[in-house]
Amino acid sequence: MVFKRLLGSLGLGGPTVDTVLDPGPARPGGSLSGQVRLKGGDADFEIEHITLELVARVEAEHEGGESEGTVTFDRFVVGGGFRLAAGEERTVPFSATLPWETPISELYGQPLGIVLGVRTELGVAGARDKGDLDQLTVTPLPVQEAILEALGQLGFGFRSADLEYGRISGTGQQLPFYQEIEITPAPAYASRVNEIELTFLATPGGMEVVLEADKRGGFLSEGRDAVTRFTVAHDGVEHQDWTALVDGWIRRLVESRPAYGSPAGYAPEGHYAHGEHHDEGHRSGPGMGTAVAAGAAGLAVGVVGGMVAAEVVDEVGDFFEGDEEEDEG
């Protein structure tokens, strides 16, 4: 067995830790399970706590431009309060619930360029040491998958996805960042829209769908953004005509008047009926991200060639390697 990280602050002879997630991707609001495997060092150590942190690579917009950083968006204490003897091997199983707003990092087996991780923190001898960092893969909820499939059936394509630091005004957003999925317009809307940005804000009771259109300007008018929101339920997904419903959303978005939302901030509202809309609110920054492509069957079809997929894998690898180097430094 190879233990990934020697706890740096404890030096040589300290315990080692390896967190192993159970096979298969997780879903927003679903279970995250696995094992934390410890191996004792040259002496006995008191393990005060074992904490898992959910981290994400997030983009932030500021006066000087844009930058990227790591944001911790949840923490779980999964064990502790025991003595780890010298050379002892111990396994601590865990099961935790992901936040409902956890971003989607994979769609039908294809990475979207969203980088999520699970970091293990060990509290030993009055000190905290961040050890193992593992990649976290999250796939869509059934209702999210149905909406993405409907967009694909309508002829929209997948351009990119990223995480933006900030809040969408007029929503019940809980995390300090939101996922932005950029899609190219279907042929029927290509003359009126440059792109559409999609955000899912899930809760146990349903999900807000935020759509923003970058509208093209006319001969005597400038282009502008339009924002609209809809709320859908988690149940009854298989009984809904999602293609017709989503097409109605897009038509309402494209034909909407300019939205005058309040400044970006946290403004929770009440629940909406299935499919109800509300034209208000705006985002706190534009989207970037790693390009992921669409195919004839819609947004769920793989990545163009092998180059883009390789770029996504490289970005994920660079993130985790860079994080470990920073910790070690």
Side-chain angles (χ1 to χ4, degrees):
M1 179 184 300
V2 178
F3 287 86
K4 293 184 179 180
R5 298 293 298 276
L6 173 68
L7 298 183
S9 65
L10 301 177
L12 295 176
T16 54
V17 59
D18 179 27
T19 298
V20 180
L21 302 179
D22 287 345
R27 277 182 167 172
S31 176
L32 176 69
S33 58
Q35 300 176 341
V36 178
R37 300 172 181 174
L38 302 172
K39 184 174 183 179
D42 294 342
D44 295 354
F45 283 89
E46 292 292 335
I47 306 299
E48 298 172 354
H49 69 84
I50 304 172
T51 301
L52 301 183
E53 293 182 341
L54 302 182
V55 299
R57 187 188 63 183
V58 176
E59 296 181 358
E61 187 177 278
H62 46 80
E63 292 183 0
E66 290 187 348
S67 59
E68 291 185 346
T70 301
V71 173
T72 298
F73 61 98
D74 211 343
R75 289 169 58 91
F76 315 101
V77 177
V78 298
F82 61 87
R83 176 180 292 269
L84 184 68
E88 176 188 356
E89 294 187 5
R90 181 180 293 215
T91 298
V92 179
F94 65 84
S95 180
T97 301
L98 292 177
W100 281 92
E101 289 181 17
T102 300
I104 303 165
S105 65
E106 182 180 280
L107 181 61
Y108 286 89
Q110 299 293 347
L112 304 183
I114 299 299
V115 183
L116 305 174
V118 179
R119 193 200 323 263
T120 307
E121 178 184 279
L122 229 57
V124 183
R128 294 187 305 170
D129 200 312
K130 296 182 185 297
D132 200 12
L133 179 63
D134 297 89
Q135 183 178 345
L136 173 63
T137 301
V138 180
T139 57
L141 293 163
V143 65
Q144 295 170 330
E145 191 172 290
I147 292 170
L148 294 171
E149 278 283 4
L151 287 166
Q153 293 297 324
L154 291 168
F156 291 86
F158 201 111
R159 175 170 289 166
S160 66
D162 66 358
L163 303 180
E164 293 284 342
Y165 189 80
R167 297 188 182 277
I168 303 175
S169 63
T171 69
Q173 181 184 342
Q174 298 295 309
L175 295 184
F177 59 85
Y178 57 89
Q179 182 170 21
E180 198 170 65
I181 300 174
E182 298 180 2
I183 57 178
T184 58
Y189 299 101
S191 63
R192 303 171 63 184
V193 176
N194 291 312
E195 72 175 14
I196 291 177
E197 295 170 348
L198 166 68
T199 295
F200 295 124
L201 298 174
T203 69
M207 186 179 66
E208 287 185 90
V209 181
V210 184
L211 294 169
E212 179 176 358
D214 176 15
K215 293 188 176 182
R216 298 184 186 277
F219 179 65
L220 297 176
S221 63
E222 295 182 355
R224 59 181 175 83
D225 292 342
V227 181
T228 189
R229 293 185 285 119
F230 303 87
T231 300
V232 296
H234 292 298
D235 55 352
V237 172
E238 67 278 9
H239 303 302
Q240 175 70 53
D241 184 349
W242 289 102
T243 302
L245 181 63
V246 173
D247 187 46
W249 292 351
I250 298 297
R251 290 180 183 276
R252 190 184 301 274
L253 174 68
V254 172
E255 295 167 2
S256 66
R257 294 170 295 179
Y260 299 98
S262 58
Y266 179 57
E269 297 187 2
H271 297 290
Y272 301 121
H274 185 90
E276 186 175 342
H277 79 283
H278 190 74
D279 297 321
E280 185 184 354
H282 62 273
R283 305 164 190 262
S284 61
M288 293 175 61
T290 303
V292 179
L299 298 177
V301 172
V303 181
V304 169
M307 182 177 65
V308 176
E311 290 175 356
V312 172
V313 172
D314 286 345
E315 286 200 4
V316 173
D318 291 345
F319 172 76
F320 288 106
E321 289 176 5
D323 184 274
E324 290 187 357
E325 290 172 0
E326 181 179 344
D327 288 345
E328 291 168 0

